[in-house]
Amino acid sequence: MADVILETRNLTKVFKGFTAVNDVNLQVQRGHIHALIGPNGAGKTTCFNLLTKFLVPTTGTILFNNRDITSAAPAQIARQGIIRSFQISAVFPHLTVLENVRVGLQRGLGTSFHFWRSERTLSQLNDRAMALLSEVDLEGLADTMTVDLPYGRKRALEIATTMAMDPELMLLDEPTQGMGHEDVHRVTALIKKVSAGRTILMVEHNMNVVAGICDKITVLQRGAVLAEGTYEQVSRDAQVMEAYMGTTSGELEGAHG
């Protein structure tokens, strides 16, 4: 059996009679880029909120590295190696690009912020921070105030700060949302690059992104799993085509074009 890093069993979330996530069984394999896709309101972000414990499941089980984390708090989830980025860029606008990554590195040390530490300690963090910025092609912007970065570069910085936490599993929520074509291409290449040696679970609307980099895709509709497989498999699935009809069925057909 393939090495499964994250598994949900019958994961369900009910809000006052409305079932947002319905009996979802998910298996994310170690080293894969796995996408959650589906029409608006399909339950993708709710699923993410359950996995990171921003929401508590109504019923079901979540396993990470075969450990039951269903009742773990969000901070415990993060310490175990599940780190999430959000739909809205979550960086400190009035710190420099380098300082943002350094905050992520300091959090990763499991201690409070080292503002009073020696210059040597900060220098070690700077070296690691610059290496991370190099991975996301931002080393030339290290001293730039984050507020002045273009949107696509802010998302690249967010991925760098997420990587600073040294995650085993990265959850990326709509990483290319609101981007122009050039930024989408850059961030897609970046996700592919940083996936080496990591596992990524992502919610994504852009079918070109999903087709280009994902090993496995789970399609949600009305909170339940509609289909699962490679892009080629799910894009030919009649139920998936019907679910996307009138919105992105054309994209599903032509995503490789």
Side-chain angles (χ1 to χ4, degrees):
M1 182 179 163
D3 188 7
V4 174
I5 186 170
L6 181 76
E7 182 178 3
T8 68
R9 295 177 183 167
N10 310 113
L11 191 64
T12 299
K13 181 63 180 177
V14 179
F15 297 102
K16 295 180 180 173
F18 169 69
T19 304
V21 172
N22 187 4
D23 211 25
V24 168
N25 294 301
L26 194 64
Q27 288 194 336
V28 178
Q29 291 179 21
R30 193 179 309 279
H32 273 193
I33 302 177
H34 191 129
L36 277 181
I37 70 168
N40 285 333
K44 305 180 295 292
T45 296
T46 304
C47 222
F48 257 35
N49 286 335
L50 292 170
L51 295 175
T52 47
K53 303 314 298 296
F54 285 68
L55 289 173
V56 177
T58 305
T59 55
T61 306
I62 305 168
L63 301 170
F64 180 59
N65 285 325
N66 295 315
R67 290 193 303 270
D68 188 337
I69 60 167
T70 315
S71 58
Q76 291 173 303
I77 299 283
R79 278 196 292 270
Q80 287 189 47
I82 301 176
I83 304 294
R84 173 191 183 172
S85 77
F86 291 86
Q87 278 178 301
I88 300 162
S89 190
V91 288
F92 297 104
H94 299 295
L95 293 180
T96 67
V97 167
L98 179 73
E99 286 166 341
N100 263 281
V101 177
R102 207 162 65 192
V103 168
L105 288 168
Q106 287 173 212
R107 282 184 66 195
L109 294 174
T111 56
S112 55
F113 301 122
H114 293 189
F115 296 124
W116 60 90
R117 284 296 185 94
S118 71
E119 194 56 42
R120 187 178 54 82
T121 309
L122 285 178
S123 168
Q124 289 174 342
L125 289 178
N126 283 348
D127 292 346
R128 176 76 182 119
M130 285 303 290
L132 285 167
L133 289 178
S134 176
E135 276 199 63
V136 300
D137 300 322
L138 288 177
E139 67 271 38
L141 297 170
D143 296 325
T144 303
M145 276 293 184
T146 301
V147 71
D148 297 326
L149 284 181
Y151 181 68
R153 294 301 181 95
K154 278 184 186 155
R155 297 314 299 257
L157 174 58
E158 188 178 280
I159 290 171
T161 57
T162 305
M163 286 163 55
M165 304 291 290
D166 198 25
E168 240 189 294
L169 174 63
M170 288 175 75
L171 302 185
L172 302 179
D173 195 358
E174 301 277 8
T176 68
Q177 187 180 43
M179 287 186 187
H181 182 73
E182 188 181 324
D183 279 338
V184 168
H185 185 74
R186 181 185 286 127
V187 170
T188 303
L190 173 57
I191 292 167
K192 182 71 175 169
K193 182 178 174 185
V194 303
S195 69
R198 296 183 180 87
T199 307
I200 294 176
L201 177 63
M202 60 192 284
V203 167
E204 182 53 69
H205 269 115
N206 188 318
M207 288 302 130
N208 289 312
V209 174
V210 170
I213 63 173
C214 292
D215 301 292
K216 192 174 181 185
I217 297 158
T218 301
V219 186
L220 294 181
Q221 185 185 32
R222 298 190 197 95
V225 174
L226 180 67
E228 194 169 68
T230 63
Y231 176 80
E232 284 71 23
Q233 289 166 333
V234 301
S235 65
R236 294 193 184 104
D237 186 292
Q239 287 183 295
V240 174
M241 297 296 286
E242 192 179 340
Y244 274 89
M245 203 62 77
T247 50
T248 52
S249 57
E251 272 185 83
L252 279 168
E253 280 287 332
H256 282 301

